Amino acid sequence: MKWKIGIIGFGNVGQALVRILHAKKGILKKKYSFDFKVMAIADPIKGSVYDENGLDLKEIVELLNTKGNIRDYSRGITDLDSIKMIKETNTNLIVEATPTNVKTGEPGLTHIKTALENKKHVVTTNKGPIALAYPELMKLAKENNVYLRFEGTVLSGTPSINLVLEALAGCDILKVQGIVNGTTNFILTKMEEGMIYEDALKEAQRLGYAEADPTADVEGWDAAVKTVIIANVMMGGDITIKDVDRKGITEITLEDVKKAKENKKRIKLIAEVYREGEKIKARVSPKELPLTHPLANVMGAINALTFTTDHLGDVTIIGPGAGRIETGQALLNDILAIHRCYSCSH
């Protein structure tokens, strides 16, 4: 099987995937028998191009390094928008890496639906569509006999979804607790070092961990969206973001952090999904954790999840929850998983 890849959204994550694919093409072929071409890239800012014979990734990377875009790519069709790219090209696997929209899921939701309806496999790092329309999208994938994978929507390149659905298959997941937002964890770490909240936030913005408008992070919205995905995908829930009891870190003071430390505890913004009778419940809130808790010692911009299972007790995974190469790795992981599944069934 020759995989013909189309990439929608060519920001940091899409570019990182192309750099990985270019650097590791030989290794991927030798180690995984993964044979591919990137056929098309669609991005309104960085440029769009399609070549039915495949794009030259070396030239793409050189253009990114020298000009920061691919508008001067030497050949191919350059007037395809994202929908035309999905429908009218010879791609068979679509990478959806546009920015997250947690209100409507667009334009990613339409991209994913269109690809699945056109019988093309999809991998995505876009949290919005998965949080808002997971059952619908999985049904659509099944009806069209294609795969939809989205590992990067929770902990970026650190395995979490695949860990539960594959490595922990057969276990009942009784509860999930975790640090799923690196920005807030970084801020709380800096506060423990003596910074007031405002200065810690400015430092996070300076280093690129926090946006100019940090609301999504510090008010817990980003964590809440990821919590919805955890609840519905990992624990079989049927909740929306409105069902998540959410509180951010904006009211946490330096005095709160110091007091917790004196009591041998540490404040963390914790995403939590648990069962209450037959219902799946979810919340995001600051919690004081004893220093013996595995999540208490996760510092800086690192993320972690602890899965409470029936067979193995607590299983904790710790790793980066953001970053361009890290999230590009999540896409590669999903692409290789689809390649593996497809190869086994054909």
Side-chain angles (χ1 to χ4, degrees), residues 120-138:
K120 299 188 178 187
H121 307 281
V122 177
V123 300
T124 187
T125 54
N126 195 331
K127 298 183 288 288
I130 306 304
L132 295 172
Y134 169 68
E136 177 189 0
L137 294 176
M138 293 306 290

Side-chain angles (χ1 to χ4, degrees), residues 152-166:
T153 58
V154 176
L155 293 190
S156 182
T158 300
S160 58
I161 295 170
N162 295 341
L163 177 66
V164 169
L165 299 185
E166 295 170 10

